[in-house]
Amino acid sequence: AQSVAQPEDQVNVAEGNPLTVKCTYSVSGNPYLFWYVQYPNRGLQFLLKYITGDNLVKGSYGFEAEFNKSQTSFHLKKPSALVSDSALYFCAVTSGGFKTIFGAGTRLFVKA
Amino acid sequence: GAGVSQTPSNKVTEKGKYVELRCDPISGHTALYWYRQSLGQGPEFLIYFQGTGAADDSGLPNDRFFAVRPEGSVSTLKIQRTERGDSAMYLCASSLQGSQTYEQYFGPGTRLTVT
């Protein structure tokens, strides 16, 4: 069965510091990986995705993520965090069908 | 352009009643998804439509839940004999095509409360 794990309920980082939000997955076939962000009182927004090719993918708002097949991970990163990055982040995977599996989410808190 | 819209934004109903939740996808998007999100959890897949047909309804929890998309655009999620455990945020999403590789665009959700 497909699954996604986001091991941290919350990540705290100071503004200007690099941030990492972790995601690991388990699928039986090739994974297609996504990151979405949910701001308060707003719907989920697409950030970036890995389909194939370069393991480092770049997305909206300066975010990037690295696909690591051997570690089955797809961690979200940003070199310099902003207070406005504070939100709820979801990792998601599809494989072998159209059913998308989401992680439980990680709340990012960036302190000024 | 207009994004995915969902109505109503909030719905309070009594246990045992029937409810309908509506989703208007982005124009031209052929794929439509319904999810359920409980507090502190990620979205849980319910059903996927490609055009008018339900291509995957494996996430519907039981036969009280049903969804339609008769003209390949607007979709309605129908819940019969509601139970308190059905209380959750119901999300709709659409994507340009029904492919595993396309990102989804989400609506703001309908918060369902069953009393």
Side-chain angles (χ1 to χ4, degrees):
Chain A
Q2 298 177 175
S3 65
V4 174
Q6 294 182 243
E8 302 151 318
D9 290 336
Q10 182 164 313
V11 169
N12 299 308
V13 63
E15 188 174 34
N17 283 359
L19 69 87
T20 298
V21 182
K22 296 179 180 178
C23 171
T24 59
Y25 65 90
S26 175
V27 299
S28 55
N30 289 326
Y32 303 108
L33 295 150
F34 301 80
W35 276 101
Y36 290 86
V37 59
Q38 189 171 37
Y39 297 102
N41 300 314
R42 294 174 67 178
L44 276 82
Q45 297 176 30
F46 168 75
L47 268 183
L48 51 78
K49 64 182 177 183
Y50 171 81
I51 304 302
T52 187
D54 193 344
N55 289 343
L56 184 65
V57 294
K58 295 185 183 297
S60 308
Y61 312 121
F63 284 92
E64 57 189 30
E66 186 165 13
F67 171 63
N68 187 316
K69 187 173 182 178
S70 63
Q71 297 185 6
T72 62
S73 67
F74 189 56
H75 301 331
L76 181 70
K77 301 181 180 185
K78 187 174 182 180
S80 179
L82 299 173
V83 171
S84 58
D85 293 330
S86 298
L88 189 55
Y89 291 82
F90 292 96
C91 181
V93 66
T94 64
S95 178
F98 300 100
K99 184 174 182 176
T100 303
I101 304 299
F102 283 80
T106 298
R107 187 165 299 280
L108 174 66
F109 180 72
V110 181
K111 184 177 180 180
Chain B
V4 178
S5 63
Q6 293 185 245
T7 55
S9 55
N10 281 283
K11 176 69 177 179
V12 180
T13 191
E14 294 180 348
K15 179 176 179 294
K17 298 292 187 181
Y18 167 84
V19 296
E20 291 189 351
L21 312 180
R22 176 187 168 107
C23 172
D24 280 90
I26 293 172
S27 178
H29 280 195
T30 62
L32 186 146
Y33 304 78
W34 282 100
Y35 295 88
R36 179 168 67 177
Q37 186 177 21
S38 300
L39 201 61
Q41 299 296 318
E44 174 191 9
F45 171 84
L46 294 177
I47 188 169
Y48 157 68
F49 285 91
Q50 178 55 42
T52 60
D56 185 346
D57 64 356
S58 62
L60 295 178
N62 52 59
D63 61 7
R64 295 187 298 106
F65 288 74
F66 189 71
V68 296
R69 195 185 184 199
E71 297 179 356
S73 178
V74 171
S75 177
T76 305
L77 178 65
K78 308 180 180 191
I79 310 174
Q80 298 177 322
R81 306 182 303 279
T82 52
E83 300 177 357
R84 292 194 180 88
D86 299 335
S87 297
M89 178 72 83
Y90 288 82
L91 302 175
C92 175
S94 68
S95 66
L96 187 58
Q97 294 184 26
S99 165
Q100 303 167 56
T101 63
Y102 280 85
E103 61 271 22
Q104 296 171 37
Y105 294 82
F106 284 80
T110 293
R111 182 167 296 284
L112 176 65
T113 303
V114 182
T115 62

mmCIF file of all heavy atoms in Angstrom, chain B residues 34-51:
data_model
loop_
_atom_site.group_PDB
_atom_site.id
_atom_site.type_symbol
_atom_site.label_atom_id
_atom_site.label_comp_id
_atom_site.label_asym_id
_atom_site.label_seq_id
_atom_site.Cartn_x
_atom_site.Cartn_y
_atom_site.Cartn_z
ATOM 1 N N TRP B 34 -12.420 14.383 -5.148
ATOM 2 C CA TRP B 34 -12.986 14.730 -3.847
ATOM 3 C C TRP B 34 -12.107 14.119 -2.757
ATOM 4 O O TRP B 34 -11.661 12.963 -2.864
ATOM 5 C CB TRP B 34 -14.402 14.181 -3.689
ATOM 6 C CG TRP B 34 -15.466 14.960 -4.396
ATOM 7 C CD1 TRP B 34 -16.055 14.676 -5.602
ATOM 8 C CD2 TRP B 34 -16.132 16.138 -3.910
ATOM 9 N NE1 TRP B 34 -17.017 15.612 -5.906
ATOM 10 C CE2 TRP B 34 -17.075 16.520 -4.886
ATOM 11 C CE3 TRP B 34 -16.004 16.917 -2.761
ATOM 12 C CZ2 TRP B 34 -17.905 17.633 -4.737
ATOM 13 C CZ3 TRP B 34 -16.818 18.019 -2.612
ATOM 14 C CH2 TRP B 34 -17.755 18.369 -3.591
ATOM 15 N N TYR B 35 -11.891 14.925 -1.690
ATOM 16 C CA TYR B 35 -11.141 14.489 -0.538
ATOM 17 C C TYR B 35 -11.909 14.855 0.735
ATOM 18 O O TYR B 35 -12.739 15.764 0.728
ATOM 19 C CB TYR B 35 -9.778 15.194 -0.465
ATOM 20 C CG TYR B 35 -8.819 14.874 -1.578
ATOM 21 C CD1 TYR B 35 -8.835 15.608 -2.773
ATOM 22 C CD2 TYR B 35 -7.887 13.851 -1.444
ATOM 23 C CE1 TYR B 35 -7.950 15.321 -3.801
ATOM 24 C CE2 TYR B 35 -6.997 13.552 -2.466
ATOM 25 C CZ TYR B 35 -7.029 14.297 -3.638
ATOM 26 O OH TYR B 35 -6.153 14.012 -4.644
ATOM 27 N N ARG B 36 -11.555 14.177 1.806
ATOM 28 C CA ARG B 36 -12.084 14.515 3.119
ATOM 29 C C ARG B 36 -10.882 14.783 4.016
ATOM 30 O O ARG B 36 -9.920 14.005 4.024
ATOM 31 C CB ARG B 36 -12.929 13.365 3.671
ATOM 32 C CG ARG B 36 -13.506 13.620 5.044
ATOM 33 C CD ARG B 36 -14.550 12.592 5.402
ATOM 34 N NE ARG B 36 -14.015 11.249 5.571
ATOM 35 C CZ ARG B 36 -14.752 10.203 5.935
ATOM 36 N NH1 ARG B 36 -16.048 10.363 6.167
ATOM 37 N NH2 ARG B 36 -14.211 9.016 6.061
ATOM 38 N N GLN B 37 -10.939 15.866 4.783
ATOM 39 C CA GLN B 37 -9.822 16.230 5.648
ATOM 40 C C GLN B 37 -10.337 16.444 7.064
ATOM 41 O O GLN B 37 -11.151 17.336 7.303
ATOM 42 C CB GLN B 37 -9.117 17.489 5.143
ATOM 43 C CG GLN B 37 -7.860 17.837 5.925
ATOM 44 C CD GLN B 37 -7.129 19.044 5.366
ATOM 45 O OE1 GLN B 37 -7.698 19.864 4.664
ATOM 46 N NE2 GLN B 37 -5.839 19.153 5.678
ATOM 47 N N SER B 38 -9.842 15.631 7.966
ATOM 48 C CA SER B 38 -10.170 15.793 9.374
ATOM 49 C C SER B 38 -9.090 16.642 10.030
ATOM 50 O O SER B 38 -7.974 16.759 9.513
ATOM 51 C CB SER B 38 -10.256 14.427 10.059
ATOM 52 O OG SER B 38 -11.257 13.637 9.438
ATOM 53 N N LEU B 39 -9.431 17.202 11.180
ATOM 54 C CA LEU B 39 -8.506 18.103 11.864
ATOM 55 C C LEU B 39 -7.183 17.400 12.169
ATOM 56 O O LEU B 39 -7.171 16.294 12.695
ATOM 57 C CB LEU B 39 -9.159 18.596 13.160
ATOM 58 C CG LEU B 39 -8.590 19.890 13.735
ATOM 59 C CD1 LEU B 39 -8.755 21.029 12.752
ATOM 60 C CD2 LEU B 39 -9.261 20.213 15.058
ATOM 61 N N GLY B 40 -6.087 18.033 11.778
ATOM 62 C CA GLY B 40 -4.775 17.479 12.064
ATOM 63 C C GLY B 40 -4.328 16.386 11.118
ATOM 64 O O GLY B 40 -3.296 15.749 11.350
ATOM 65 N N GLN B 41 -5.094 16.184 10.049
ATOM 66 C CA GLN B 41 -4.757 15.143 9.090
ATOM 67 C C GLN B 41 -4.615 15.730 7.688
ATOM 68 O O GLN B 41 -5.093 16.828 7.408
ATOM 69 C CB GLN B 41 -5.844 14.065 9.074
ATOM 70 C CG GLN B 41 -6.037 13.357 10.395
ATOM 71 C CD GLN B 41 -4.814 12.568 10.799
ATOM 72 O OE1 GLN B 41 -4.178 11.902 9.989
ATOM 73 N NE2 GLN B 41 -4.450 12.641 12.075
ATOM 74 N N GLY B 42 -3.972 14.972 6.818
ATOM 75 C CA GLY B 42 -3.927 15.365 5.430
ATOM 76 C C GLY B 42 -5.203 14.976 4.711
ATOM 77 O O GLY B 42 -5.999 14.191 5.241
ATOM 78 N N PRO B 43 -5.422 15.513 3.523
ATOM 79 C CA PRO B 43 -6.599 15.129 2.741
ATOM 80 C C PRO B 43 -6.615 13.620 2.476
ATOM 81 O O PRO B 43 -5.576 13.038 2.154
ATOM 82 C CB PRO B 43 -6.435 15.922 1.451
ATOM 83 C CG PRO B 43 -5.567 17.084 1.818
ATOM 84 C CD PRO B 43 -4.630 16.554 2.852
ATOM 85 N N GLU B 44 -7.794 13.034 2.594
ATOM 86 C CA GLU B 44 -7.984 11.608 2.356
ATOM 87 C C GLU B 44 -8.800 11.433 1.080
ATOM 88 O O GLU B 44 -9.911 11.951 0.968
ATOM 89 C CB GLU B 44 -8.721 10.990 3.543
ATOM 90 C CG GLU B 44 -9.109 9.537 3.375
ATOM 91 C CD GLU B 44 -10.071 9.085 4.466
ATOM 92 O OE1 GLU B 44 -10.561 9.942 5.229
ATOM 93 O OE2 GLU B 44 -10.352 7.874 4.525
ATOM 94 N N PHE B 45 -8.229 10.722 0.122
ATOM 95 C CA PHE B 45 -8.866 10.533 -1.180
ATOM 96 C C PHE B 45 -10.214 9.843 -1.039
ATOM 97 O O PHE B 45 -10.354 8.846 -0.323
ATOM 98 C CB PHE B 45 -7.948 9.686 -2.064
ATOM 99 C CG PHE B 45 -8.551 9.236 -3.361
ATOM 100 C CD1 PHE B 45 -8.546 10.058 -4.470
ATOM 101 C CD2 PHE B 45 -9.145 7.977 -3.471
ATOM 102 C CE1 PHE B 45 -9.096 9.639 -5.662
ATOM 103 C CE2 PHE B 45 -9.702 7.555 -4.659
ATOM 104 C CZ PHE B 45 -9.683 8.382 -5.757
ATOM 105 N N LEU B 46 -11.218 10.373 -1.762
ATOM 106 C CA LEU B 46 -12.530 9.745 -1.794
ATOM 107 C C LEU B 46 -12.823 9.170 -3.178
ATOM 108 O O LEU B 46 -13.125 7.986 -3.324
ATOM 109 C CB LEU B 46 -13.615 10.754 -1.419
ATOM 110 C CG LEU B 46 -13.595 11.294 0.014
ATOM 111 C CD1 LEU B 46 -14.695 12.336 0.198
ATOM 112 C CD2 LEU B 46 -13.746 10.162 1.023
ATOM 113 N N ILE B 47 -12.769 10.037 -4.213
ATOM 114 C CA ILE B 47 -13.189 9.623 -5.538
ATOM 115 C C ILE B 47 -12.531 10.500 -6.585
ATOM 116 O O ILE B 47 -12.211 11.663 -6.317
ATOM 117 C CB ILE B 47 -14.733 9.681 -5.663
ATOM 118 C CG1 ILE B 47 -15.230 9.073 -6.983
ATOM 119 C CG2 ILE B 47 -15.230 11.111 -5.503
ATOM 120 C CD1 ILE B 47 -16.748 8.875 -7.022
ATOM 121 N N TYR B 48 -12.310 9.913 -7.772
ATOM 122 C CA TYR B 48 -11.712 10.622 -8.893
ATOM 123 C C TYR B 48 -12.587 10.449 -10.128
ATOM 124 O O TYR B 48 -13.013 9.334 -10.453
ATOM 125 C CB TYR B 48 -10.310 10.072 -9.140
ATOM 126 C CG TYR B 48 -9.774 10.278 -10.538
ATOM 127 C CD1 TYR B 48 -9.476 11.549 -11.000
ATOM 128 C CD2 TYR B 48 -9.574 9.193 -11.385
ATOM 129 C CE1 TYR B 48 -8.985 11.735 -12.286
ATOM 130 C CE2 TYR B 48 -9.087 9.366 -12.669
ATOM 131 C CZ TYR B 48 -8.796 10.644 -13.119
ATOM 132 O OH TYR B 48 -8.324 10.824 -14.389
ATOM 133 N N PHE B 49 -12.868 11.574 -10.796
ATOM 134 C CA PHE B 49 -13.618 11.567 -12.050
ATOM 135 C C PHE B 49 -12.704 11.948 -13.206
ATOM 136 O O PHE B 49 -11.936 12.894 -13.126
ATOM 137 C CB PHE B 49 -14.753 12.601 -12.006
ATOM 138 C CG PHE B 49 -15.918 12.214 -11.176
ATOM 139 C CD1 PHE B 49 -15.980 12.568 -9.835
ATOM 140 C CD2 PHE B 49 -16.972 11.498 -11.721
ATOM 141 C CE1 PHE B 49 -17.067 12.218 -9.059
ATOM 142 C CE2 PHE B 49 -18.063 11.150 -10.953
ATOM 143 C CZ PHE B 49 -18.121 11.510 -9.615
ATOM 144 N N GLN B 50 -12.821 11.210 -14.282
ATOM 145 C CA GLN B 50 -12.233 11.620 -15.549
ATOM 146 C C GLN B 50 -13.414 11.864 -16.484
ATOM 147 O O GLN B 50 -14.078 10.925 -16.915
ATOM 148 C CB GLN B 50 -11.296 10.542 -16.098
ATOM 149 C CG GLN B 50 -10.690 10.898 -17.451
ATOM 150 C CD GLN B 50 -9.962 12.223 -17.434
ATOM 151 O OE1 GLN B 50 -9.232 12.556 -16.494
ATOM 152 N NE2 GLN B 50 -10.153 13.011 -18.488
ATOM 153 N N GLY B 51 -13.681 13.128 -16.778
ATOM 154 C CA GLY B 51 -14.875 13.451 -17.527
ATOM 155 C C GLY B 51 -16.110 13.198 -16.677
ATOM 156 O O GLY B 51 -16.188 13.627 -15.539
#
